Amino acid sequence: YNILFPILFLIAAPFYFWKLVRRGNWRAGFGQRLGGFHSLKSELKGRRVIWLHAVSVGEANLAVQLVEELQRRDGVDSERMYVVSTTTTTGMGVLQQRLPNTARAIYYPVDWLPFVKRAFNALNPAAIILVEAEIWPNLFWEAQSRSVPLALVNARLSERSYRGYQRFAILFHPLFRSLAAAGVHHTADAHRLERLGVRATVISVTGNIKFDGALDANPSGMNARELLNGLGVSTASPVLVAGSTFEGEELLLAQLLPRWRTVAPDLFLVIVPRHHERADAVMDQLQSTGLTFARRSRLNAAPEQPDGLLVDSTGELRAFYEAATVVFVGKSLTAQGGQNPIEPAALGRPMVFGPFMQNFSAVVHELLQARGAHQVQDEGGLAEKIGFLLENRAECDALGDAARSVVQANKGATQRTAEMLGQSLRALN
């Protein structure tokens, strides 16, 4: 792995750096991606460092919740210091905005042994907590060589991910075997982890922390209703919010807007792409339909009475869900995997998603069983179902109430996870 990694990284470096530059703000903290954390070394001296790793925005939000719960259990005089790493600039934005000021946010280093060793020398962690299934071999090997316990929390393992890890069992089975604790969503995840080598005695079914986070107040503090009012959208006008959309979905929604307006003439469309750096391309597609769209970052240049809003900012999706009449959950119609349906469910918003929700299969199953969401198979189904909801307020209310009840029934995973970590990691005792 360590022989091949630098070779493969050099080959992939142009794409890696292009991606960093495209997402913006890449210079800040760049040295940390190479394992340089010297500025933190003196601050962490004498502290018991608990290192949490969260890949991007979703995991960063979960890490914040977990840190807050662990600190609540620690008390005010604790010698522990929580350090949370992420790999994306958007994840860093969440951590900088939401992480308690008694914790620290850093970038995770590239998983090459010299960089990982530098990070360990600077942070000197007493324990490492991985948020969801993010398995980096050098992180595991270095932790093992220094007798630093590793825990995996909020883990869900799809059949596809399971097969991927099994394909490289000679590499991953020993890594999974070394885990000191693993908290999973469901028993199915527990069985898959056990077959991958995790000891059954360290696995706990703790539930999904995302249910707890969805019940929190809007973290951005932005008032979407006020913003929409400023664009001329009255409080009586229905609002369709398409959250975390992927390529192809934005254009499709814009093309369907005139059809939906035959039943809801003043319908306003809000599109929130999953990756805000696609905003220019998405805006070109939307304008090609002949409709007018305002852009979140350029409201001062917004057209009068636009047909919709393109949200090219980060961290504000929850605020727009609060203003929604109906929600479409993205990456479910033209792309595979799906995006998080829990936030609109917690707000009691009627939602529709496509057939490709594999990343949230257990949540989707619960929502559909409770009749708290509608799943469609194609563009025609989407057009029909959203049109039906726009005409039927009673159905919207019933869907929203059922979805909210699913979230309420799944509360408490953050507390159960913290309890598991307290029992499994000596550094938290």
Side-chain angles (χ1 to χ4, degrees), residues 45-273:
K45 189 174 182 179
R47 306 293 296 273
R48 187 183 298 179
V49 174
I50 310 298
W51 180 3
L52 293 87
H53 177 54
V55 186
S56 191
V57 173
E59 296 83 2
N61 279 313
L62 302 183
V64 170
Q65 291 170 228
L66 189 53
V67 167
E68 289 173 341
E69 177 62 22
L70 291 171
Q71 287 187 330
R72 186 185 66 78
R73 291 166 181 257
D74 288 346
V76 293
D77 297 323
S78 174
E79 63 179 8
R80 298 187 189 97
M81 169 68 84
Y82 294 91
V83 175
V84 185
S85 60
T86 184
T87 58
T88 67
T89 53
T90 50
M92 178 59 73
V94 168
L95 294 178
Q96 290 175 337
Q97 181 183 23
R98 297 196 57 207
L99 201 63
N101 57 18
T102 51
R104 296 292 175 266
I106 61 172
Y107 281 110
Y108 180 76
V110 173
D111 195 59
W112 187 37
L113 190 58
F115 298 158
V116 174
K117 280 184 176 293
R118 289 181 70 196
F120 269 82
N121 289 338
L123 302 179
N124 190 27
I128 298 172
I129 301 169
L130 307 173
V131 182
E132 301 195 347
E134 181 73 0
I135 311 301
W136 290 106
N138 276 315
L139 176 69
F140 274 70
W141 291 329
E142 192 63 18
Q144 286 176 298
S145 72
R146 299 177 186 233
S147 299
V148 177
L150 288 119
L152 183 64
V153 301
N154 210 57
R156 61 168 173 81
L157 206 63
S158 67
E159 193 61 36
R160 182 182 178 185
S161 297
Y162 166 74
R163 290 195 300 269
Y165 284 124
Q166 279 286 46
R167 199 171 294 121
F168 299 97
I170 193 171
L171 173 65
F172 287 107
H173 274 226
L175 303 183
F176 280 110
R177 186 77 182 169
S178 69
L179 286 170
V184 300
H185 290 184
H186 298 281
T187 53
D189 301 305
H191 294 324
R192 291 188 186 109
L193 278 181
E194 192 174 345
R195 292 198 297 272
L196 286 175
V198 181
R199 291 165 290 148
T201 54
V202 307
I203 302 175
S204 302
V205 178
T206 50
N208 188 346
I209 297 175
K210 286 179 179 175
F211 282 105
D212 295 331
L215 296 166
D216 293 343
N218 170 19
S220 73
M222 192 270 289
N223 188 326
R225 184 65 264 173
E226 190 176 280
L227 186 151
L228 293 175
N229 289 345
L231 291 172
V233 183
S234 76
T235 53
S237 299
V239 176
L240 170 60
V241 175
S244 298
T245 54
F246 270 63
E247 176 65 38
E249 291 175 335
E250 299 94 358
L251 179 59
L252 173 60
L253 290 159
Q255 290 172 336
L256 288 172
L257 183 58
R259 173 173 171 174
W260 290 324
R261 280 183 166 172
T262 61
V263 296
D266 52 350
L267 176 65
F268 190 81
L269 176 60
V270 176
I271 293 178
V272 189

